[in-house]
mmCIF file of all heavy atoms in Angstrom:
data_model
loop_
_atom_site.group_PDB
_atom_site.id
_atom_site.type_symbol
_atom_site.label_atom_id
_atom_site.label_comp_id
_atom_site.label_asym_id
_atom_site.label_seq_id
_atom_site.Cartn_x
_atom_site.Cartn_y
_atom_site.Cartn_z
ATOM 1 N N LEU A 14 96.856 106.266 92.893
ATOM 2 C CA LEU A 14 98.057 105.475 92.630
ATOM 3 C C LEU A 14 98.880 105.154 93.841
ATOM 4 O O LEU A 14 99.360 104.016 93.979
ATOM 5 C CB LEU A 14 98.933 106.256 91.542
ATOM 6 C CG LEU A 14 98.346 106.381 90.181
ATOM 7 C CD1 LEU A 14 99.256 107.205 89.273
ATOM 8 C CD2 LEU A 14 98.206 104.966 89.480
ATOM 9 N N PHE A 15 99.014 106.095 94.725
ATOM 10 C CA PHE A 15 99.761 105.846 95.942
ATOM 11 C C PHE A 15 99.012 104.882 96.923
ATOM 12 O O PHE A 15 99.596 104.086 97.544
ATOM 13 C CB PHE A 15 100.103 107.121 96.674
ATOM 14 C CG PHE A 15 101.349 107.796 96.195
ATOM 15 C CD1 PHE A 15 101.277 108.880 95.276
ATOM 16 C CD2 PHE A 15 102.585 107.318 96.497
ATOM 17 C CE1 PHE A 15 102.443 109.528 94.767
ATOM 18 C CE2 PHE A 15 103.757 107.901 96.052
ATOM 19 C CZ PHE A 15 103.701 108.992 95.174
ATOM 20 N N THR A 16 97.706 104.938 96.870
ATOM 21 C CA THR A 16 96.824 103.981 97.617
ATOM 22 C C THR A 16 97.055 102.567 97.088
ATOM 23 O O THR A 16 97.262 101.595 97.852
ATOM 24 C CB THR A 16 95.397 104.363 97.583
ATOM 25 O OG1 THR A 16 95.220 105.668 98.147
ATOM 26 C CG2 THR A 16 94.538 103.396 98.343
ATOM 27 N N LEU A 17 97.037 102.426 95.758
ATOM 28 C CA LEU A 17 97.265 101.107 95.153
ATOM 29 C C LEU A 17 98.655 100.609 95.479
ATOM 30 O O LEU A 17 98.904 99.451 95.819
ATOM 31 C CB LEU A 17 97.039 101.211 93.618
ATOM 32 C CG LEU A 17 97.223 99.918 92.813
ATOM 33 C CD1 LEU A 17 96.191 98.902 93.248
ATOM 34 C CD2 LEU A 17 97.137 100.294 91.368
ATOM 35 N N ALA A 18 99.700 101.536 95.377
ATOM 36 C CA ALA A 18 101.074 101.104 95.705
ATOM 37 C C ALA A 18 101.191 100.719 97.131
ATOM 38 O O ALA A 18 101.914 99.737 97.474
ATOM 39 C CB ALA A 18 102.006 102.291 95.315
ATOM 40 N N MET A 19 100.508 101.478 98.053
ATOM 41 C CA MET A 19 100.653 101.176 99.500
ATOM 42 C C MET A 19 100.007 99.827 99.793
ATOM 43 O O MET A 19 100.430 99.110 100.736
ATOM 44 C CB MET A 19 99.931 102.246 100.286
ATOM 45 C CG MET A 19 100.214 102.190 101.762
ATOM 46 S SD MET A 19 101.979 102.388 102.118
ATOM 47 C CE MET A 19 101.910 102.858 103.745
ATOM 48 N N PHE A 20 99.060 99.433 99.060
ATOM 49 C CA PHE A 20 98.360 98.113 99.243
ATOM 50 C C PHE A 20 99.171 97.002 98.624
ATOM 51 O O PHE A 20 99.319 95.963 99.267
ATOM 52 C CB PHE A 20 96.965 98.154 98.677
ATOM 53 C CG PHE A 20 96.239 96.863 98.798
ATOM 54 C CD1 PHE A 20 95.759 96.454 100.003
ATOM 55 C CD2 PHE A 20 96.109 96.078 97.681
ATOM 56 C CE1 PHE A 20 95.116 95.181 100.107
ATOM 57 C CE2 PHE A 20 95.455 94.842 97.779
ATOM 58 C CZ PHE A 20 94.943 94.392 98.963
ATOM 59 N N SER A 21 99.607 97.190 97.413
ATOM 60 C CA SER A 21 100.184 96.041 96.658
ATOM 61 C C SER A 21 101.672 95.865 96.822
ATOM 62 O O SER A 21 102.107 94.733 96.919
ATOM 63 C CB SER A 21 99.838 96.214 95.173
ATOM 64 O OG SER A 21 100.373 97.415 94.697
ATOM 65 N N LEU A 22 102.441 96.935 96.855
ATOM 66 C CA LEU A 22 103.909 96.792 96.882
ATOM 67 C C LEU A 22 104.460 96.036 98.110
ATOM 68 O O LEU A 22 105.304 95.139 97.956
ATOM 69 C CB LEU A 22 104.603 98.121 96.656
ATOM 70 C CG LEU A 22 104.459 98.763 95.299
ATOM 71 C CD1 LEU A 22 105.235 100.067 95.214
ATOM 72 C CD2 LEU A 22 104.957 97.795 94.242
ATOM 73 N N PRO A 23 103.995 96.384 99.349
ATOM 74 C CA PRO A 23 104.486 95.603 100.478
ATOM 75 C C PRO A 23 104.150 94.119 100.410
ATOM 76 O O PRO A 23 104.924 93.288 100.742
ATOM 77 C CB PRO A 23 103.956 96.278 101.682
ATOM 78 C CG PRO A 23 103.597 97.623 101.236
ATOM 79 C CD PRO A 23 103.214 97.549 99.826
ATOM 80 N N ILE A 24 102.925 93.828 99.961
ATOM 81 C CA ILE A 24 102.530 92.382 99.854
ATOM 82 C C ILE A 24 103.347 91.682 98.815
ATOM 83 O O ILE A 24 103.802 90.579 99.067
ATOM 84 C CB ILE A 24 101.009 92.300 99.550
ATOM 85 C CG1 ILE A 24 100.219 92.902 100.747
ATOM 86 C CG2 ILE A 24 100.573 90.901 99.241
ATOM 87 C CD1 ILE A 24 98.740 93.017 100.471
ATOM 88 N N LEU A 25 103.486 92.297 97.641
ATOM 89 C CA LEU A 25 104.287 91.684 96.644
ATOM 90 C C LEU A 25 105.749 91.517 97.075
ATOM 91 O O LEU A 25 106.369 90.493 96.767
ATOM 92 C CB LEU A 25 104.239 92.550 95.336
ATOM 93 C CG LEU A 25 102.972 92.496 94.538
ATOM 94 C CD1 LEU A 25 102.987 93.552 93.434
ATOM 95 C CD2 LEU A 25 102.774 91.111 93.979
ATOM 96 N N THR A 26 106.291 92.527 97.772
ATOM 97 C CA THR A 26 107.661 92.436 98.228
ATOM 98 C C THR A 26 107.846 91.274 99.198
ATOM 99 O O THR A 26 108.822 90.498 99.027
ATOM 100 C CB THR A 26 108.069 93.722 98.963
ATOM 101 O OG1 THR A 26 107.947 94.800 98.078
ATOM 102 C CG2 THR A 26 109.475 93.648 99.510
ATOM 103 N N TYR A 27 106.894 91.095 100.065
ATOM 104 C CA TYR A 27 106.964 89.962 101.011
ATOM 105 C C TYR A 27 106.919 88.662 100.288
ATOM 106 O O TYR A 27 107.836 87.797 100.503
ATOM 107 C CB TYR A 27 105.799 89.989 101.988
ATOM 108 C CG TYR A 27 105.764 88.818 102.910
ATOM 109 C CD1 TYR A 27 106.596 88.740 104.014
ATOM 110 C CD2 TYR A 27 104.994 87.711 102.673
ATOM 111 C CE1 TYR A 27 106.601 87.658 104.857
ATOM 112 C CE2 TYR A 27 104.981 86.598 103.471
ATOM 113 C CZ TYR A 27 105.785 86.546 104.590
ATOM 114 O OH TYR A 27 105.808 85.462 105.381
ATOM 115 N N PHE A 28 105.956 88.405 99.457
ATOM 116 C CA PHE A 28 105.816 87.087 98.834
ATOM 117 C C PHE A 28 106.928 86.807 97.772
ATOM 118 O O PHE A 28 107.265 85.640 97.563
ATOM 119 C CB PHE A 28 104.459 86.950 98.185
ATOM 120 C CG PHE A 28 103.377 86.656 99.232
ATOM 121 C CD1 PHE A 28 102.414 87.596 99.548
ATOM 122 C CD2 PHE A 28 103.405 85.510 99.962
ATOM 123 C CE1 PHE A 28 101.509 87.378 100.546
ATOM 124 C CE2 PHE A 28 102.456 85.212 100.961
ATOM 125 C CZ PHE A 28 101.508 86.178 101.218
ATOM 126 N N LEU A 29 107.446 87.847 97.161
ATOM 127 C CA LEU A 29 108.509 87.626 96.128
ATOM 128 C C LEU A 29 109.881 87.424 96.839
ATOM 129 O O LEU A 29 110.750 86.819 96.203
ATOM 130 C CB LEU A 29 108.583 88.823 95.185
ATOM 131 C CG LEU A 29 107.430 88.934 94.233
ATOM 132 C CD1 LEU A 29 107.595 90.214 93.373
ATOM 133 C CD2 LEU A 29 107.306 87.739 93.324
ATOM 134 N N THR A 30 110.130 87.899 98.022
ATOM 135 C CA THR A 30 111.413 87.748 98.653
ATOM 136 C C THR A 30 111.500 86.687 99.713
ATOM 137 O O THR A 30 112.636 86.286 100.061
ATOM 138 C CB THR A 30 111.824 89.132 99.272
ATOM 139 O OG1 THR A 30 110.900 89.454 100.305
ATOM 140 C CG2 THR A 30 111.948 90.194 98.237
#
Side-chain angles (χ1 to χ4, degrees):
L14 290 176
F15 276 102
T16 300
L17 181 64
M19 190 63 158
F20 176 76
S21 62
L22 290 181
I24 293 171
L25 286 172
T26 300
Y27 175 81
F28 285 112
L29 290 176
T30 61

